[in-house]
Amino acid sequence: MEIWVPQWTVRQPEHPVAGSTWFGGLPAGLDPAAWPVCGQCDTALTPLLQLSAGPWLRRIPAGHVLLVFKCESDDVCEFWDPDDVANRCLLVPVTELSSGAGVPDDVATGKTRILPRLWVGEWQRGDDGLTPEQAVQVDRDEVWNLPDDTRAIVEAAETYTKAGGAPVWTGNGPAPEPARPRQLLFQLDNWITTVDSADDVATALADRPDRSVHVRDSTVSAANFMSDGVAYVFDVAPDAPVPDAKLVISR
């Protein structure tokens, strides 16, 4: 099945910001009134991802972006469950994003943690060796039933972060798998490998004295994924005209 591997960089790409894909940072002009709030600690949620439409994410309608938020507060809210309480996914038309929209008070005062921004400069197309029918059937235990060569491709470290294909399940929970029908839109490892040099990454993050941002050569770990978790964005209505996206985090 077709997969797309993002090529992360600390440098802003030349293509328009509103239609870009990135980790962290701020949404490109989201109305503060539309900004989701954690249902447990009542804090404005932290932006985790902006996912752009394209061949890498065919379920996102053209002219839209999918904004993914999660709670990063010290209250350790249950951000791992796909229940729209301590995380949220918003499908937003690019035309509704305005550079002068401002931010919620929690963001302006620093109560809401904002993650360092990493951009996707390019997408690298690949194939995980599965049919679409096989890909949607892969659960935590069923991956062991795949042929060895196919399982090696599915579980390759370099594709732990990808769009499309089968989810690479981790084994320690705590989040449950979303009920079927479901389709993986995007998977994000807690360590994000960039195409930049270690010096360029260090320079770009030099003004981030954040104890929660870890840098190892050209890789960055910034969000709370319970130390070694993986985030999954699933479409739980794959037969509907537009996706119903849910965030799940498992370690």
Short mmCIF file of all heavy atoms in Angstrom, two decimals, residues 45-113:
data_model
loop_
_atom_site.label_atom_id
_atom_site.label_comp_id
_atom_site.label_asym_id
_atom_site.label_seq_id
_atom_site.Cartn_x
_atom_site.Cartn_y
_atom_site.Cartn_z
N LEU A 45 -5.76 23.74 24.19
CA LEU A 45 -4.90 22.63 23.81
C LEU A 45 -3.69 23.10 23.01
O LEU A 45 -3.72 24.13 22.34
CB LEU A 45 -5.69 21.61 23.00
CG LEU A 45 -6.80 20.86 23.75
CD1 LEU A 45 -7.59 19.98 22.78
CD2 LEU A 45 -6.22 20.01 24.87
N THR A 46 -2.63 22.31 23.09
CA THR A 46 -1.39 22.59 22.37
C THR A 46 -1.49 22.09 20.93
O THR A 46 -1.87 20.94 20.70
CB THR A 46 -0.20 21.90 23.06
OG1 THR A 46 0.02 22.52 24.33
CG2 THR A 46 1.08 21.99 22.23
N PRO A 47 -1.17 22.93 19.94
CA PRO A 47 -1.13 22.44 18.56
C PRO A 47 -0.03 21.39 18.38
O PRO A 47 1.12 21.63 18.75
CB PRO A 47 -0.82 23.70 17.74
CG PRO A 47 -1.15 24.84 18.64
CD PRO A 47 -0.85 24.36 20.03
N LEU A 48 -0.39 20.25 17.83
CA LEU A 48 0.57 19.17 17.61
C LEU A 48 0.96 19.08 16.14
O LEU A 48 2.15 18.99 15.81
CB LEU A 48 0.00 17.84 18.08
CG LEU A 48 0.89 16.61 17.89
CD1 LEU A 48 2.10 16.68 18.82
CD2 LEU A 48 0.11 15.32 18.15
N LEU A 49 -0.02 19.10 15.25
CA LEU A 49 0.24 18.92 13.82
C LEU A 49 -0.68 19.80 13.00
O LEU A 49 -1.85 20.02 13.37
CB LEU A 49 0.00 17.47 13.41
CG LEU A 49 0.96 16.39 13.90
CD1 LEU A 49 0.35 15.02 13.69
CD2 LEU A 49 2.31 16.49 13.18
N GLN A 50 -0.18 20.30 11.89
CA GLN A 50 -1.01 20.77 10.80
C GLN A 50 -0.71 19.87 9.61
O GLN A 50 0.43 19.80 9.15
CB GLN A 50 -0.72 22.23 10.44
CG GLN A 50 -1.49 22.67 9.19
CD GLN A 50 -1.42 24.14 8.91
OE1 GLN A 50 -1.84 24.95 9.72
NE2 GLN A 50 -0.89 24.52 7.75
N LEU A 51 -1.73 19.16 9.13
CA LEU A 51 -1.58 18.22 8.03
C LEU A 51 -2.27 18.79 6.79
O LEU A 51 -3.45 19.14 6.83
CB LEU A 51 -2.19 16.86 8.39
CG LEU A 51 -1.60 16.17 9.63
CD1 LEU A 51 -2.40 14.91 9.96
CD2 LEU A 51 -0.13 15.83 9.41
N SER A 52 -1.51 18.87 5.70
CA SER A 52 -2.02 19.49 4.48
C SER A 52 -2.60 18.46 3.55
O SER A 52 -2.27 17.27 3.59
CB SER A 52 -0.89 20.25 3.77
OG SER A 52 0.13 19.35 3.36
N ALA A 53 -3.49 18.93 2.67
CA ALA A 53 -4.06 18.07 1.64
C ALA A 53 -3.02 17.80 0.56
O ALA A 53 -2.14 18.61 0.30
CB ALA A 53 -5.29 18.74 1.04
N GLY A 54 -3.13 16.63 -0.06
CA GLY A 54 -2.20 16.27 -1.13
C GLY A 54 -2.28 14.78 -1.37
O GLY A 54 -3.05 14.07 -0.72
N PRO A 55 -1.48 14.25 -2.28
CA PRO A 55 -1.50 12.80 -2.53
C PRO A 55 -1.09 11.99 -1.31
O PRO A 55 -1.42 10.81 -1.21
CB PRO A 55 -0.50 12.63 -3.68
CG PRO A 55 0.34 13.87 -3.68
CD PRO A 55 -0.56 14.95 -3.17
N TRP A 56 -0.37 12.61 -0.38
CA TRP A 56 0.03 11.94 0.87
C TRP A 56 -1.13 11.80 1.85
O TRP A 56 -1.11 10.93 2.71
CB TRP A 56 1.17 12.73 1.52
CG TRP A 56 0.94 14.21 1.50
CD1 TRP A 56 0.24 14.96 2.39
CD2 TRP A 56 1.40 15.11 0.50
NE1 TRP A 56 0.22 16.27 2.02
CE2 TRP A 56 0.94 16.40 0.85
CE3 TRP A 56 2.17 14.96 -0.66
CZ2 TRP A 56 1.21 17.53 0.09
CZ3 TRP A 56 2.44 16.09 -1.42
CH2 TRP A 56 1.96 17.35 -1.05
N LEU A 57 -2.14 12.65 1.74
CA LEU A 57 -3.31 12.58 2.61
C LEU A 57 -4.55 12.85 1.76
O LEU A 57 -5.12 13.94 1.78
CB LEU A 57 -3.20 13.60 3.76
CG LEU A 57 -2.23 13.21 4.88
CD1 LEU A 57 -1.88 14.41 5.74
CD2 LEU A 57 -2.82 12.09 5.74
N ARG A 58 -4.95 11.84 1.01
CA ARG A 58 -6.02 12.01 0.04
C ARG A 58 -7.38 12.24 0.69
O ARG A 58 -8.31 12.74 0.04
CB ARG A 58 -6.09 10.78 -0.89
CG ARG A 58 -4.82 10.56 -1.69
CD ARG A 58 -4.94 9.35 -2.60
NE ARG A 58 -3.67 9.01 -3.22
CZ ARG A 58 -3.19 9.57 -4.33
NH1 ARG A 58 -3.92 10.51 -4.92
NH2 ARG A 58 -2.04 9.20 -4.84
N ARG A 59 -7.54 11.88 1.95
CA ARG A 59 -8.83 12.06 2.61
C ARG A 59 -9.06 13.52 3.05
O ARG A 59 -10.19 13.89 3.35
CB ARG A 59 -8.92 11.14 3.82
CG ARG A 59 -9.19 9.70 3.47
CD ARG A 59 -10.63 9.49 3.01
NE ARG A 59 -11.57 9.61 4.10
CZ ARG A 59 -12.84 9.95 3.95
NH1 ARG A 59 -13.32 10.26 2.75
NH2 ARG A 59 -13.65 10.02 5.00
N ILE A 60 -8.01 14.31 3.10
CA ILE A 60 -8.21 15.72 3.43
C ILE A 60 -8.64 16.44 2.16
O ILE A 60 -7.95 16.40 1.14
CB ILE A 60 -6.91 16.35 3.98
CG1 ILE A 60 -6.51 15.65 5.28
CG2 ILE A 60 -7.09 17.84 4.22
CD1 ILE A 60 -5.24 16.18 5.89
N PRO A 61 -9.81 17.08 2.18
CA PRO A 61 -10.29 17.74 0.96
C PRO A 61 -9.33 18.84 0.51
O PRO A 61 -8.67 19.49 1.33
CB PRO A 61 -11.64 18.33 1.38
CG PRO A 61 -12.04 17.58 2.61
CD PRO A 61 -10.77 17.21 3.29
N ALA A 62 -9.26 19.06 -0.80
CA ALA A 62 -8.43 20.14 -1.33
C ALA A 62 -8.86 21.46 -0.72
O ALA A 62 -10.05 21.71 -0.50
CB ALA A 62 -8.55 20.18 -2.85
N GLY A 63 -7.88 22.31 -0.43
CA GLY A 63 -8.18 23.60 0.16
C GLY A 63 -8.44 23.55 1.66
O GLY A 63 -8.92 24.53 2.24
N HIS A 64 -8.13 22.42 2.31
CA HIS A 64 -8.33 22.26 3.75
C HIS A 64 -7.02 21.82 4.41
O HIS A 64 -6.12 21.30 3.74
CB HIS A 64 -9.40 21.21 4.06
CG HIS A 64 -10.79 21.62 3.71
ND1 HIS A 64 -11.21 21.81 2.40
CD2 HIS A 64 -11.88 21.87 4.50
CE1 HIS A 64 -12.49 22.16 2.40
NE2 HIS A 64 -12.91 22.20 3.65
N VAL A 65 -6.94 22.00 5.71
CA VAL A 65 -5.88 21.40 6.52
C VAL A 65 -6.54 20.71 7.71
O VAL A 65 -7.63 21.09 8.14
CB VAL A 65 -4.85 22.44 7.02
CG1 VAL A 65 -4.01 22.98 5.88
CG2 VAL A 65 -5.52 23.57 7.80
N LEU A 66 -5.88 19.68 8.21
CA LEU A 66 -6.33 19.00 9.42
C LEU A 66 -5.42 19.44 10.56
O LEU A 66 -4.21 19.22 10.52
CB LEU A 66 -6.26 17.48 9.24
CG LEU A 66 -6.78 16.64 10.42
CD1 LEU A 66 -8.27 16.87 10.63
CD2 LEU A 66 -6.50 15.16 10.20
N LEU A 67 -6.01 20.10 11.55
CA LEU A 67 -5.27 20.58 12.71
C LEU A 67 -5.46 19.60 13.85
O LEU A 67 -6.59 19.22 14.19
CB LEU A 67 -5.75 21.97 13.13
CG LEU A 67 -5.72 23.06 12.05
CD1 LEU A 67 -6.27 24.37 12.62
CD2 LEU A 67 -4.32 23.25 11.52
N VAL A 68 -4.36 19.15 14.45
CA VAL A 68 -4.38 18.16 15.53
C VAL A 68 -3.85 18.81 16.80
O VAL A 68 -2.76 19.40 16.79
CB VAL A 68 -3.54 16.92 15.17
CG1 VAL A 68 -3.61 15.88 16.27
CG2 VAL A 68 -4.00 16.33 13.83
N PHE A 69 -4.62 18.71 17.89
CA PHE A 69 -4.26 19.32 19.17
C PHE A 69 -4.23 18.25 20.25
O PHE A 69 -4.94 17.25 20.18
CB PHE A 69 -5.30 20.37 19.59
CG PHE A 69 -5.42 21.56 18.68
CD1 PHE A 69 -6.15 21.48 17.50
CD2 PHE A 69 -4.83 22.76 19.01
CE1 PHE A 69 -6.29 22.58 16.67
CE2 PHE A 69 -4.95 23.87 18.19
CZ PHE A 69 -5.69 23.78 17.01
N LYS A 70 -3.41 18.47 21.28
CA LYS A 70 -3.42 17.62 22.46
C LYS A 70 -3.08 18.44 23.69
O LYS A 70 -2.49 19.52 23.58
CB LYS A 70 -2.44 16.45 22.34
CG LYS A 70 -0.97 16.87 22.36
CD LYS A 70 -0.04 15.65 22.33
CE LYS A 70 -0.05 14.86 23.61
NZ LYS A 70 0.63 15.57 24.72
N CYS A 71 -3.43 17.93 24.85
CA CYS A 71 -3.11 18.62 26.10
C CYS A 71 -1.66 18.34 26.47
O CYS A 71 -1.21 17.20 26.47
CB CYS A 71 -4.03 18.16 27.22
SG CYS A 71 -3.84 19.16 28.73
N GLU A 72 -0.92 19.41 26.76
CA GLU A 72 0.47 19.30 27.20
C GLU A 72 0.64 19.89 28.60
O GLU A 72 1.75 20.23 29.01
CB GLU A 72 1.40 20.04 26.23
CG GLU A 72 1.65 19.31 24.93
CD GLU A 72 2.79 18.31 25.00
OE1 GLU A 72 3.72 18.50 25.81
OE2 GLU A 72 2.77 17.32 24.25
N SER A 73 -0.45 20.01 29.35
CA SER A 73 -0.37 20.64 30.67
C SER A 73 0.29 19.70 31.67
O SER A 73 0.36 18.48 31.48
CB SER A 73 -1.77 21.01 31.17
OG SER A 73 -2.47 19.87 31.64
N ASP A 74 0.77 20.26 32.76
CA ASP A 74 1.40 19.47 33.82
C ASP A 74 0.39 18.64 34.59
O ASP A 74 0.77 17.84 35.45
CB ASP A 74 2.17 20.38 34.78
CG ASP A 74 3.40 21.01 34.14
OD1 ASP A 74 3.91 20.43 33.16
OD2 ASP A 74 3.83 22.10 34.59
N ASP A 75 -0.90 18.84 34.32
CA ASP A 75 -1.93 18.04 34.99
C ASP A 75 -1.96 16.60 34.49
O ASP A 75 -2.64 15.75 35.07
CB ASP A 75 -3.31 18.67 34.79
CG ASP A 75 -3.44 20.01 35.49
OD1 ASP A 75 -2.75 20.23 36.50
OD2 ASP A 75 -4.23 20.84 35.01
N VAL A 76 -1.24 16.33 33.40
CA VAL A 76 -1.18 15.00 32.77
C VAL A 76 -2.60 14.47 32.53
O VAL A 76 -3.00 13.43 33.03
CB VAL A 76 -0.36 14.01 33.62
CG1 VAL A 76 -0.06 12.75 32.80
CG2 VAL A 76 0.94 14.63 34.10
N CYS A 77 -3.34 15.26 31.77
CA CYS A 77 -4.68 14.82 31.37
C CYS A 77 -4.55 13.62 30.43
O CYS A 77 -3.50 13.37 29.86
CB CYS A 77 -5.41 15.97 30.69
SG CYS A 77 -5.60 17.43 31.76
N GLU A 78 -5.63 12.89 30.26
CA GLU A 78 -5.60 11.64 29.50
C GLU A 78 -5.67 11.93 28.01
O GLU A 78 -6.65 11.66 27.32
CB GLU A 78 -6.73 10.74 29.96
CG GLU A 78 -6.56 10.30 31.42
CD GLU A 78 -7.71 9.46 31.92
OE1 GLU A 78 -8.65 9.19 31.13
OE2 GLU A 78 -7.69 9.07 33.09
N PHE A 79 -4.55 12.47 27.48
CA PHE A 79 -4.49 12.93 26.10
C PHE A 79 -4.37 11.79 25.10
O PHE A 79 -4.41 12.02 23.89
CB PHE A 79 -3.29 13.87 25.92
CG PHE A 79 -1.97 13.26 26.34
CD1 PHE A 79 -1.31 12.34 25.54
CD2 PHE A 79 -1.39 13.61 27.55
CE1 PHE A 79 -0.10 11.78 25.93
CE2 PHE A 79 -0.18 13.05 27.96
CZ PHE A 79 0.46 12.13 27.14
N TRP A 80 -4.24 10.57 25.55
CA TRP A 80 -3.97 9.44 24.65
C TRP A 80 -5.24 8.81 24.07
O TRP A 80 -5.17 8.05 23.13
CB TRP A 80 -3.16 8.38 25.39
CG TRP A 80 -3.69 8.05 26.76
CD1 TRP A 80 -4.70 7.19 27.07
CD2 TRP A 80 -3.25 8.62 28.00
NE1 TRP A 80 -4.91 7.16 28.42
CE2 TRP A 80 -4.02 8.04 29.03
CE3 TRP A 80 -2.26 9.55 28.34
CZ2 TRP A 80 -3.86 8.37 30.37
CZ3 TRP A 80 -2.10 9.87 29.68
CH2 TRP A 80 -2.87 9.29 30.68
N ASP A 81 -6.40 9.10 24.64
CA ASP A 81 -7.63 8.45 24.20
C ASP A 81 -8.31 9.20 23.07
O ASP A 81 -8.35 10.44 23.07
CB ASP A 81 -8.61 8.34 25.37
CG ASP A 81 -8.21 7.26 26.36
OD1 ASP A 81 -7.55 6.30 25.94
OD2 ASP A 81 -8.58 7.37 27.56
N PRO A 82 -8.87 8.48 22.10
CA PRO A 82 -9.53 9.12 20.96
C PRO A 82 -10.95 9.56 21.28
O PRO A 82 -11.91 9.19 20.58
CB PRO A 82 -9.51 8.02 19.90
CG PRO A 82 -9.63 6.75 20.69
CD PRO A 82 -8.83 7.00 21.96
N ASP A 83 -11.11 10.35 22.34
CA ASP A 83 -12.45 10.69 22.80
C ASP A 83 -12.77 12.18 22.71
O ASP A 83 -13.79 12.64 23.24
CB ASP A 83 -12.65 10.21 24.25
CG ASP A 83 -11.57 10.72 25.19
OD1 ASP A 83 -10.78 11.60 24.78
OD2 ASP A 83 -11.50 10.23 26.34
N ASP A 84 -11.90 12.96 22.06
CA ASP A 84 -12.14 14.40 21.88
C ASP A 84 -12.27 15.15 23.20
O ASP A 84 -12.96 16.16 23.28
CB ASP A 84 -13.40 14.65 21.04
CG ASP A 84 -13.27 14.15 19.62
OD1 ASP A 84 -12.12 14.00 19.15
OD2 ASP A 84 -14.30 13.89 18.98
N VAL A 85 -11.58 14.68 24.24
CA VAL A 85 -11.60 15.36 25.53
C VAL A 85 -10.28 16.11 25.76
O VAL A 85 -10.26 17.33 25.88
CB VAL A 85 -11.88 14.38 26.68
CG1 VAL A 85 -11.79 15.10 28.03
CG2 VAL A 85 -13.25 13.75 26.52
N ALA A 86 -9.18 15.38 25.82
CA ALA A 86 -7.86 16.00 26.04
C ALA A 86 -7.06 16.06 24.74
O ALA A 86 -5.87 16.34 24.77
CB ALA A 86 -7.08 15.25 27.11
N ASN A 87 -7.70 15.77 23.62
CA ASN A 87 -7.11 16.02 22.30
C ASN A 87 -8.24 16.30 21.33
O ASN A 87 -9.40 16.01 21.61
CB ASN A 87 -6.22 14.86 21.85
CG ASN A 87 -6.97 13.57 21.62
OD1 ASN A 87 -7.91 13.52 20.81
ND2 ASN A 87 -6.58 12.51 22.31
N ARG A 88 -7.92 16.86 20.18
CA ARG A 88 -8.96 17.22 19.22
C ARG A 88 -8.36 17.34 17.83
O ARG A 88 -7.20 17.76 17.68
CB ARG A 88 -9.58 18.56 19.60
CG ARG A 88 -11.06 18.75 19.22
CD ARG A 88 -12.00 17.98 20.14
NE ARG A 88 -11.67 18.17 21.53
CZ ARG A 88 -12.03 19.23 22.28
NH1 ARG A 88 -12.70 20.23 21.72
NH2 ARG A 88 -11.71 19.29 23.56
N CYS A 89 -9.14 17.01 16.82
CA CYS A 89 -8.75 17.18 15.42
C CYS A 89 -9.79 18.06 14.73
O CYS A 89 -11.00 17.78 14.84
CB CYS A 89 -8.66 15.83 14.71
SG CYS A 89 -7.44 14.69 15.40
N LEU A 90 -9.33 19.10 14.04
CA LEU A 90 -10.23 20.03 13.36
C LEU A 90 -9.90 20.06 11.87
O LEU A 90 -8.74 20.27 11.49
CB LEU A 90 -10.08 21.44 13.92
CG LEU A 90 -10.33 21.67 15.41
CD1 LEU A 90 -10.10 23.15 15.75
CD2 LEU A 90 -11.72 21.24 15.81
N LEU A 91 -10.90 19.86 11.03
CA LEU A 91 -10.75 20.01 9.59
C LEU A 91 -11.18 21.43 9.24
O LEU A 91 -12.34 21.81 9.45
CB LEU A 91 -11.60 18.98 8.86
CG LEU A 91 -11.46 18.94 7.34
CD1 LEU A 91 -10.06 18.50 6.94
CD2 LEU A 91 -12.51 18.02 6.73
N VAL A 92 -10.25 22.23 8.71
CA VAL A 92 -10.49 23.66 8.54
C VAL A 92 -10.18 24.07 7.10
O VAL A 92 -9.11 23.75 6.58
CB VAL A 92 -9.60 24.48 9.51
CG1 VAL A 92 -9.88 25.96 9.37
CG2 VAL A 92 -9.82 24.03 10.95
N PRO A 93 -11.10 24.82 6.46
CA PRO A 93 -10.77 25.37 5.14
C PRO A 93 -9.64 26.40 5.26
O PRO A 93 -9.61 27.21 6.20
CB PRO A 93 -12.07 26.05 4.70
CG PRO A 93 -13.14 25.44 5.56
CD PRO A 93 -12.48 25.10 6.85
N VAL A 94 -8.70 26.36 4.33
CA VAL A 94 -7.59 27.30 4.37
C VAL A 94 -8.09 28.74 4.30
O VAL A 94 -7.49 29.65 4.89
CB VAL A 94 -6.60 26.99 3.22
CG1 VAL A 94 -5.53 28.07 3.10
CG2 VAL A 94 -5.95 25.63 3.43
N THR A 95 -9.21 28.96 3.63
CA THR A 95 -9.75 30.31 3.50
C THR A 95 -10.21 30.88 4.84
O THR A 95 -10.39 32.09 4.96
CB THR A 95 -10.93 30.33 2.52
OG1 THR A 95 -11.91 29.36 2.93
CG2 THR A 95 -10.47 30.01 1.11
N GLU A 96 -10.41 30.03 5.85
CA GLU A 96 -10.84 30.50 7.16
C GLU A 96 -9.65 30.82 8.07
O GLU A 96 -9.84 31.22 9.22
CB GLU A 96 -11.74 29.47 7.84
CG GLU A 96 -13.09 29.29 7.15
CD GLU A 96 -14.00 28.34 7.88
OE1 GLU A 96 -13.63 27.92 9.01
OE2 GLU A 96 -15.08 28.02 7.35
N LEU A 97 -8.44 30.63 7.57
CA LEU A 97 -7.25 30.91 8.37
C LEU A 97 -6.75 32.31 8.02
O LEU A 97 -6.45 32.61 6.87
CB LEU A 97 -6.16 29.87 8.09
CG LEU A 97 -6.55 28.43 8.41
CD1 LEU A 97 -5.44 27.47 7.98
CD2 LEU A 97 -6.85 28.26 9.89
N SER A 98 -6.68 33.16 9.04
CA SER A 98 -6.29 34.56 8.83
C SER A 98 -5.06 34.88 9.65
O SER A 98 -4.97 34.53 10.84
CB SER A 98 -7.44 35.50 9.24
OG SER A 98 -7.00 36.83 9.33
N SER A 99 -4.10 35.57 9.04
CA SER A 99 -2.85 35.89 9.74
C SER A 99 -3.07 36.81 10.93
O SER A 99 -2.24 36.88 11.83
CB SER A 99 -1.85 36.53 8.77
OG SER A 99 -2.38 37.71 8.22
N GLY A 100 -4.20 37.51 10.96
CA GLY A 100 -4.45 38.44 12.07
C GLY A 100 -5.43 37.92 13.10
O GLY A 100 -6.03 38.70 13.84
N ALA A 101 -5.60 36.59 13.17
CA ALA A 101 -6.64 36.03 14.02
C ALA A 101 -6.31 36.11 15.51
O ALA A 101 -7.19 36.10 16.35
CB ALA A 101 -6.91 34.58 13.63
N GLY A 102 -5.02 36.18 15.88
CA GLY A 102 -4.66 36.19 17.29
C GLY A 102 -4.66 34.79 17.88
O GLY A 102 -4.83 33.79 17.18
N VAL A 103 -4.48 34.71 19.20
CA VAL A 103 -4.42 33.43 19.90
C VAL A 103 -5.24 33.52 21.19
O VAL A 103 -5.49 34.61 21.69
CB VAL A 103 -2.96 33.03 20.24
CG1 VAL A 103 -2.15 32.79 18.98
CG2 VAL A 103 -2.29 34.09 21.11
N PRO A 104 -5.65 32.38 21.75
CA PRO A 104 -6.37 32.40 23.03
C PRO A 104 -5.49 32.96 24.15
O PRO A 104 -4.26 32.96 24.07
CB PRO A 104 -6.70 30.92 23.27
CG PRO A 104 -6.60 30.27 21.93
CD PRO A 104 -5.55 31.02 21.19
N ASP A 105 -6.13 33.40 25.22
CA ASP A 105 -5.40 33.96 26.36
C ASP A 105 -4.40 32.97 26.94
O ASP A 105 -3.30 33.35 27.34
CB ASP A 105 -6.37 34.40 27.45
CG ASP A 105 -7.18 35.64 27.06
OD1 ASP A 105 -6.76 36.33 26.11
OD2 ASP A 105 -8.22 35.89 27.70
N ASP A 106 -4.77 31.68 27.00
CA ASP A 106 -3.86 30.67 27.55
C ASP A 106 -2.56 30.60 26.76
O ASP A 106 -1.48 30.34 27.32
CB ASP A 106 -4.52 29.29 27.57
CG ASP A 106 -5.57 29.14 28.65
OD1 ASP A 106 -5.61 30.00 29.56
OD2 ASP A 106 -6.36 28.19 28.58
N VAL A 107 -2.65 30.81 25.45
CA VAL A 107 -1.45 30.79 24.62
C VAL A 107 -0.65 32.06 24.83
O VAL A 107 0.58 32.03 24.98
CB VAL A 107 -1.84 30.63 23.13
CG1 VAL A 107 -0.60 30.71 22.24
CG2 VAL A 107 -2.56 29.31 22.91
N ALA A 108 -1.33 33.21 24.87
CA ALA A 108 -0.64 34.49 25.03
C ALA A 108 0.09 34.58 26.37
O ALA A 108 1.16 35.19 26.46
CB ALA A 108 -1.65 35.63 24.90
N THR A 109 -0.48 33.98 27.41
CA THR A 109 0.13 34.06 28.74
C THR A 109 1.14 32.95 29.00
O THR A 109 1.81 32.95 30.03
CB THR A 109 -0.95 34.00 29.83
OG1 THR A 109 -1.65 32.74 29.73
CG2 THR A 109 -1.93 35.15 29.69
N GLY A 110 1.25 31.99 28.08
CA GLY A 110 2.20 30.90 28.26
C GLY A 110 1.65 29.71 29.02
O GLY A 110 2.37 28.74 29.28
N LYS A 111 0.37 29.77 29.40
CA LYS A 111 -0.22 28.63 30.11
C LYS A 111 -0.29 27.40 29.21
O LYS A 111 -0.09 26.27 29.65
CB LYS A 111 -1.62 28.99 30.61
CG LYS A 111 -2.27 27.90 31.45
CD LYS A 111 -3.62 28.36 32.01
CE LYS A 111 -4.26 27.26 32.86
NZ LYS A 111 -5.60 27.70 33.37
N THR A 112 -0.60 27.63 27.93
CA THR A 112 -0.60 26.56 26.94
C THR A 112 0.80 26.44 26.37
O THR A 112 1.35 27.41 25.85
CB THR A 112 -1.60 26.85 25.80
OG1 THR A 112 -2.93 26.82 26.35
CG2 THR A 112 -1.48 25.81 24.69
N ARG A 113 1.37 25.26 26.46
CA ARG A 113 2.72 25.04 25.94
C ARG A 113 2.69 24.97 24.42
O ARG A 113 1.85 24.27 23.84
CB ARG A 113 3.28 23.74 26.52
CG ARG A 113 4.69 23.42 26.08
CD ARG A 113 5.30 22.29 26.90
NE ARG A 113 6.60 21.96 26.35
CZ ARG A 113 6.86 20.86 25.65
NH1 ARG A 113 5.92 19.96 25.45
NH2 ARG A 113 8.07 20.64 25.18
#
